[in-house]
Every structure is written in structure tokens, then in C-alpha cells.
């Protein structure tokens, strides 16, 4: 597998001072973000800036049974939680600003998250106030109705840009969605995760090998590694209150992404001894090609590239230029990111593919960064 090129980029610009004031005091209507449980709603506000952009706010909790279950210490806010906040901001914006009906079904086409300021993501004594500056970079319409939106998002905390995200959503009326799904399934009736078996055949992976403490948050079975590759089956946690907040007729993209993250961590441990308890994904890039079905076995395969070792004395103190952009480290005297005794910043790119019946569902690229704070 080819290694992603190493690129030097400029630091993101500061957030403009005239951004709309956002409210963090309460969450938005759960229906606006397609969630059943109030505890799974993180979006608190959104306000329009112009025809193509708006600002959104989310409060990320200090602890969470799923997103907070990681062994990295001190704790960091989960990258998948940041992606979920972006997903909620994009859905809410589509309904509120682009007249997408709330009964429309959405299809996730791609997503990306690049984190460049890890200091701001360490879990502190208060919830994280995340601000998202959302820009629509591509709008699809048919017969006067918005059928798709591609987004670029700038993420910030307390005025500091911490990274960027990209996401694509396509919208279908209930009738059009049913027609599409039945076509995908050769006319077979749609299943529901509410009736899915509680146990996926296979031997679950030990939680600590994928950086977890709770067995219910592990989604890999029958995992194996050899050389620079890893493989596993995907456990479908249909009764999980976060991954399956409400019944689904297909395998959610975020669940596949979680499986890819766990297999990448397991592969990194075997390939070069990068413990899941000391690794943080600083870049996640996912492209979906087809629906994942609940009844079919899902096979994940991972391949790790050569590790990148970035000199400990960059041109700008406290800044490292990584594959995804600029990674800013803590200032002198504060907690520091030290890797390999402080000699270098170590990263491992991993590519994961998900397949059913030999057909590709999606490709996930991750950059795992070894992090030791002290």
C-alpha cells in the first residue's frame, strides 16, 4: 500500500471576530438531529452567517459510556464524538437553513476529521464548548428541492482552531429511500436492528487491545494480525444505546468507522508496539460506496504503512507539520506531547477496508499518533 505524502501546510486562520454569538445552555430538538435519546444530542445552537455558511455550537460531555470509554490518559475527547457533533450540525443546518424535510432519510457519502491542536481536546474540569463554522461547498438540487449537501467545517474551542472536518449528506424522501433500498436488496424486505440477534458469531477482542474498558463497546470479533496487516469481523451491537440510538435498516456508517478505528489500533499494536492506551487518531478519512446490510457478515481488513517520525525541533516551536496539516503542541511549561522519550513525533497511517460478500462498503484512512503527556 502506498504511503500518504507528507505535506507542510500553514496553520488555520483564527476565527473572525464577528461570528454570531452561540448558546450552550440547552440542546436543540432531538428530532432535528435524528436522535431518540436526549443524552445523545450534543448540538446546542446554530445561527446562519450567509447563504452558504452558518455557525453551530455543541457541548461535549466530560464522560460518556461510549465516547468516554478509552484508556488513553489523560483522557481526550473522542474524535468520533467530534464527528458526531459535526454530523448533528450538518443535519440540523440542512433542515433549518436548506428546507430539507425532517422526514427525509439521509445517506452519508464521506466524512473526514483532521485534528491539529490536541491540547484543547484533553478532558478538563468542564464540558468542552465546541464551535463549528460550517460552509456548504456543494449543493445538489432537483425540481427545486435540496437533495444533497457537502460541507467543510472549521472546529474551534475558546477561539482556538483545533481542526477541520468534511462531510457529505444525500437526502431522500421516505418513498425514494425505500425504492433505493429495495433495489439494493433485490426486492428483499428491509430488516430492522430492533429485531437483530443480540450476539454476533465469533470471539470478541479483549477490550484493552483496542483501547477500551467496557466489553460492550468492542465491535471486533475473530481478529488476527500478520506482518503489517490485520483482519476481523464486525460485531453488530444492535442493542447499543449510542451506536444504535434508534432502529436502523442498515449498518450505520459511524459503526463501520468505529470498527475501522479499533482494527487500526489492534494492527498498530502488533505492527510496531503502539499501545492503544497511548495512541490518538489525529486524522480520519472515510468514503462510503454502498449500504452495509445487517444480515451479511462484515469483514474488515487493515494495512499499516511505514511509520512517520517527525523531528522534535520543527521550524516553529510547538508546531509539527503532519499528513493532515499542522499539529500544535502545548506551550513550554504546560503538558507536552512527548513521543519516544521526546525524540520525535511518531505517526502510523493505516488503511482499512470494509466488505460484505466481497463487495466494498467503504475505505477508511486513519493516522494514529503516539501521545504521551506528562
Amino acid at each position: 500500500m502506498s504511503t500518504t505524502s507528507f505535506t507542510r501546510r500553514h496553520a488555520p486562520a483564527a476565527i473572525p471576530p464577528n461570528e454570531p454569538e452561540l448558546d450552550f445552555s440547552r440542546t436543540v430538538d432531538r428530532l432535528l438531529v435524528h436522535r431518540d435519546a436526549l443524552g445523545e444530542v450534543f448540538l446546542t445552537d446554530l445561527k446562519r452567517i450567509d447563504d452558504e455558511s452558518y455557525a453551530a455550537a455543541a457541548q461535549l460531555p466530560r464522560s460518556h459510556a461510549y465516547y468516554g470509554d478509552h484508556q488513553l490518559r489523560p483522557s481526550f475527547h473522542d474524535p468520533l464524538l467530534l464527528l458526531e457533533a459535526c454530523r448533528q450540525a450538518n443535519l440540523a443546518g440542512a433542515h433549518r437553513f436548506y428546507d430539507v424535510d425532517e422526514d427525509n432519510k439521509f445517506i452519508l457519502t464521506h466524512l473526514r476529521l483532521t485534528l491539529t491542536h490536541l491540547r484543547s481536546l484533553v478532558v478538563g474540569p468542564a464540558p468542552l464548548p465546541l464551535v463549528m463554522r460550517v460552509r456548504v461547498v456543494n449543493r445538489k438540487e432537483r425540481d427545486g428541492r435540496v437533495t444533497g449537501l457537502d460541507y467543510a467545517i472549521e472546529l474551534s474551542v475558546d477561539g482556538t482552531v483545533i481542526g477541520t472536518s468534511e462531510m457529505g449528506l444525500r437526502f431522500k424522501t421516505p418513498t425514494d429511500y425505500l425504492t433505493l433500498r429495495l433495489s439494493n436488496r433485490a426486492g428483499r424486505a428491509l430488516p430492522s436492528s430492533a429485531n437483530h440477534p443480540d450476539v454476533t458469531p465469533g470471539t470478541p477482542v479483549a477490550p484493552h487491545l483496542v483501547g477500551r474498558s467496557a466489553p460492550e463497546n468492542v465491535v471486533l470479533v475473530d481478529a488476527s494480525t500478520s506482518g503489517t496487516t490485520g483482519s476481523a469481523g464486525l460485531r453488530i451491537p444492535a442493542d447499543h444505546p449510542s451506536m444504535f440510538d434508534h432502529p436502523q435498516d442498515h449498518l450505520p456508517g459511524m459503526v463501520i468507522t468505529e470498527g475501522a478505528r479499533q482494527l487500526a489500533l489492534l494492527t498498530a499494536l502488533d505492527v510496531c508496539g503502539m499501545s492503544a492506551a497511548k495512541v490518538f487518531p489525529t486524522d480520519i478519512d472515510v468514503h462510503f460506496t454502498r449500504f452495509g446490510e445487517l444480515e451479511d457478515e462484515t469483514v474488515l481488513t487493515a494495512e499499516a504503512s511505514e511509520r512517520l517520525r517527525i523531528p522534535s525541533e520543527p521550524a516553529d516551536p510547538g508546531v509539527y507539520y503532519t499528513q493532515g496539516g499542522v499539529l500544535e503542541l502545548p506551550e513550554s511549561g504546560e503538558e507536552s506531547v512527548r513521543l519516544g522519550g521526546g525524540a520525535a513525533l511518531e505517526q502510523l497511517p493505516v488503511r482499512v477496508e470494509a466488505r460484505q460478500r466481497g463487495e466494498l462498503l467503504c475505505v477508511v484512512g486513519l493516522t494514529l499518533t503516539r501521545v504521551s503527556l506528562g
Side-chain angles (χ1 to χ4, degrees), residues 20-253:
E21 185 175 350
L22 296 168
D23 185 7
F24 290 89
S25 63
R26 61 181 62 83
T27 55
V28 301
D29 186 332
R30 62 185 177 83
L31 300 180
L32 200 61
V33 296
H34 299 202
R35 280 288 174 255
D36 278 358
L38 295 175
E40 296 298 319
V41 179
F42 307 108
L43 193 71
T44 63
D45 196 13
L46 64 165
K47 292 181 179 176
R48 192 154 202 166
I49 297 174
D50 53 43
D51 287 345
E52 301 300 330
S53 62
Y54 57 94
Q59 186 189 78
L60 307 189
R62 296 167 60 195
S63 64
H64 190 278
Y66 167 55
Y67 294 113
D69 177 39
H70 298 284
Q71 294 185 343
L72 184 61
R73 293 294 179 270
S75 297
F76 283 76
H77 288 282
D78 189 341
L80 265 63
L81 176 56
L82 293 167
L83 278 172
E84 174 60 22
C86 291
R87 190 193 71 88
Q88 293 187 12
N90 294 342
L91 279 173
H95 294 314
R96 185 167 291 179
F97 302 133
Y98 299 99
D99 298 323
V100 175
D101 290 342
E102 289 191 13
D103 68 348
N104 274 198
K105 302 289 187 178
F106 75 92
I107 300 170
L108 190 61
T109 62
H110 67 275
L111 57 87
R112 182 169 189 181
L113 178 70
T114 299
L115 298 172
T116 56
H117 198 276
L118 297 190
R119 180 174 69 247
S120 296
L121 292 174
V122 176
V123 176
L128 189 76
L130 179 68
V131 172
M132 294 162 280
R133 195 178 199 279
V134 184
R135 182 167 56 91
V136 173
V137 296
N138 183 33
R139 185 191 315 197
K140 295 182 179 294
E141 297 184 0
R142 186 174 61 192
D143 299 328
R145 184 177 71 87
V146 173
T147 59
L149 295 168
D150 292 333
Y151 304 88
I153 308 168
E154 185 179 72
L155 309 174
S156 64
V157 175
D158 296 329
T160 297
V161 175
I162 66 166
T164 59
S165 179
E166 299 171 12
M167 195 169 294
L169 297 177
R170 300 296 178 261
F171 308 101
K172 297 285 186 182
T173 66
T175 300
D176 287 346
Y177 178 79
L178 180 60
T179 300
L180 174 65
R181 290 289 288 122
L182 290 176
S183 174
N184 292 155
R185 294 172 54 81
R188 290 181 297 156
L190 287 136
S192 172
S193 60
N195 304 319
H196 196 272
D198 293 337
V199 178
T200 300
T203 303
V205 171
H208 72 276
L209 296 178
V210 291
R212 295 287 189 175
S213 297
E216 60 267 24
N217 289 328
V218 176
V219 296
L220 300 184
V221 296
D222 294 340
S224 63
T225 57
S226 176
T228 60
T229 65
S231 65
L234 182 69
R235 181 179 77 85
I236 300 179
D239 60 348
H240 196 286
S242 294
M243 286 186 264
F244 282 85
D245 164 77
H246 55 277
Q248 298 274 6
D249 64 56
H250 62 281
L251 187 57

Side-chain angles (χ1 to χ4, degrees), residues 251-322:
L251 187 57
M254 294 294 280
V255 175
I256 302 175
T257 304
E258 174 63 42
R261 185 249 297 269
Q262 292 188 16
L263 184 58
L265 290 173
L266 184 67
T267 304
L269 175 63
D270 213 47
V271 167
C272 56
M274 294 177 74
S275 168
K278 295 183 179 181
V279 170
F280 186 82
T282 51
D283 194 281
I284 302 173
D285 190 7
V286 191
H287 293 267
F288 299 96
T289 56
R290 61 187 294 126
F291 284 97
E293 301 296 348
L294 294 172
E295 311 101 310
D296 296 337
E297 179 187 24
T298 305
V299 177
L300 303 174
T301 57
E303 182 163 348
S305 299
E306 294 182 5
R307 283 177 288 176
L308 303 175
R309 296 187 65 82
I310 304 166
S312 60
E313 296 183 359
D316 300 319
V319 176
Y320 289 94
Y321 295 88
T322 73

